[in-house]
Amino acid sequence: MPFAIALLVVGIELSPAHFLYTGPLLTAMPALAAVTTGPRGTVVAAALAVVVSVTTATYNQAWGGQQVYSNFVALALVSVASYLLSSAARTRTLNELNQVRRIAEAAQQVLLRPVPARLGPVRAASMYLAAETGAQIGGDLYEAVQTRYGVRMIVGDVRGKGLPAVRAAAAVLGAFREAVHYERELVEVMNHCAAALRRECAVPGAVDREVLLEGFVTALVAQVPESPVVQLVNRGHPPPLVLSRGKARALMPSEPVPPLGLDDLITGPPATAETYPFVPGDRLLLHTDGVTEARNLDDDFFALPEAMEAVHARTPPEFLEQLHEGLIRHTQDRLADDVAMLLVVRVGGEAGEEAVEETGERGGEHGGAAAASGRAGPD
């Protein structure tokens, strides 16, 4: 609007209608800019108004008249006041935004706290990436807890966005954190999460109608006992990947089971815990579909198995950071969905620590060869 006014004034002053008094229009330019463009735009609008005033006064030979100097005085006063008000409003907005961010960070620490670096027989690391700029939390969830039954983990993805998704994620995580310490069977831990989601949906007004009718949560619960295995219960979630001796493979469930919230669709046997080998040096990656469904400009999916094989980091945080860098390169820093990743590495004394380091080096060598030959990792 301020720049449209400048064009209007120039058009009037350079036309036969230049007898019209356009001073108030130019005076309004910095005031309008203060509302719409901020302090920097206010300065630009005021400078433009001065340029237009000087140009039109010179063209119409109006110098010496009282109106010209009155316009300059009014323009200067309005410009200073507009700049001060715009700066104050911007400062207040930034302070409010910083406060909201601090609250969001605190909420994230409660809902998605970083996992400990060492949990019993594994070393661990986690990462969460929000697709929306400035967002801190969303519908993805993860947790890792050491219990008397072993290290128990969960990763999940809530359908939907916004506060309803956050509430659903909090309900599932709360049930998981409570049940892992008391339920011996891993399936019962998942059942507690399903029951918590049902209770959340039953609260009037707790979730939107769309979420109530179509909402669900994909979830994967894993357990790493002292023995060299990993046990999984999968409810509609992308299967985790194990990197063993430089090769990445997906741990597919033998019988697919619908996600949490869609229990009415279960027609076959209920979910059961399945066991897979997980020896010292192996790396287990639990992730959400924001990783595997990330696309580049050519609409190609992110090749997670090949990316894992190409990583040559030794520690879990470094491993996730290199995966993150590969994901950002693939999508050119344009994530379409939130991303959550939880990595655990089986260790076993000094020999286990050495096996982890050797596997990291071997994984980088094999991964580089796989990337060079264009070979896809096993499913």
Side-chain angles (χ1 to χ4, degrees), residues 237-276:
H237 197 77
L241 280 80
V242 166
L243 180 65
S244 180
R245 297 187 176 276
K247 294 288 187 177
R249 61 186 181 91
L251 304 183
M252 302 294 297
S254 58
E255 293 291 339
V257 181
L260 306 181
L262 300 179
D263 301 281
D264 294 340
L265 301 180
I266 299 178
T267 58
T272 58
E274 300 185 52
T275 303
Y276 304 87

Side-chain angles (χ1 to χ4, degrees), residues 56 75 77 134-135 150 171 221 232 254 311 317:
T56 56
L75 182 59
L77 292 175
V221 175
L232 304 176
S254 58
V311 171

Side-chain angles (χ1 to χ4, degrees), residues 91-111:
T91 301
R92 183 172 62 253
T93 301
L94 289 177
N95 290 337
E96 292 175 352
L97 181 59
N98 290 333
Q99 183 180 9
V100 170
R101 286 175 174 170
R102 289 193 295 269
I103 294 173
E105 290 175 358
Q108 185 185 34
Q109 292 298 318
V110 174
L111 184 62

Side-chain angles (χ1 to χ4, degrees), residues 164 167-168 170-172 195-207 212:
R167 284 195 291 264
V172 173
L197 182 62
R198 288 194 298 270
R199 289 193 299 269
E200 181 69 17
C201 293
V203 176
V207 296
L212 184 62

